[in-house]
Amino acid sequence: YSFKSPFVHDVEPLMPGDRILTWAFRGPTAVWDVATGTQVCRLPGARSAIYSAEALPDGRRFVTVSRTTRAIIWNARTCKAELSLHHSDIITTVSVVAWGAQIVTL
């Protein structure tokens, strides 16, 4: 399947061989089923551009950062927020380190 779109900025694999995450500066952030090419879920209320996203090692959750001061951990099956991490300033980059034990934001 092709996930080409003028809005897609990047693709992140989730749940090995099962799902992928697409995210964009403008446009929807969504989880897709690789086998069927169908959208599984879409992040609700995305009012700010997603600057960075990364899967946690288990592939069942991912973290996004946007023009806000929050890093949000999402459930990859439901696209529901599980945890919101507040930062003192705008966050532009996220990285998952130490096999998922830590999330670094800049």
Side-chain angles (χ1 to χ4, degrees), residues 56-68:
L56 275 71
D58 67 4
R60 299 188 187 289
R61 293 176 293 152
F62 58 93
V63 59
T64 62
V65 297
S66 63
R67 201 174 13 213
T68 66

Side-chain angles (χ1 to χ4, degrees), residues 9-32:
H9 175 74
D10 208 348
V11 175
E12 180 75 16
L14 300 168
M15 296 175 240
D18 186 30
R19 307 280 163 97
I20 62 168
L21 169 71
T22 59
W23 55 275
F25 294 127
R26 282 183 273 172
T29 299
V31 174
W32 302 84

Side-chain angles (χ1 to χ4, degrees), residues 21-23 28-31 39 41-46 50 62 64 72 74-75 78-80:
L21 169 71
T22 59
W23 55 275
T29 299
V31 174
Q39 185 175 306
C41 59
R42 188 173 177 171
L43 267 59
I50 299 293
F62 58 93
T64 62
I72 301 173
W74 302 90
N75 180 300
T78 64
C79 284
K80 291 185 179 179

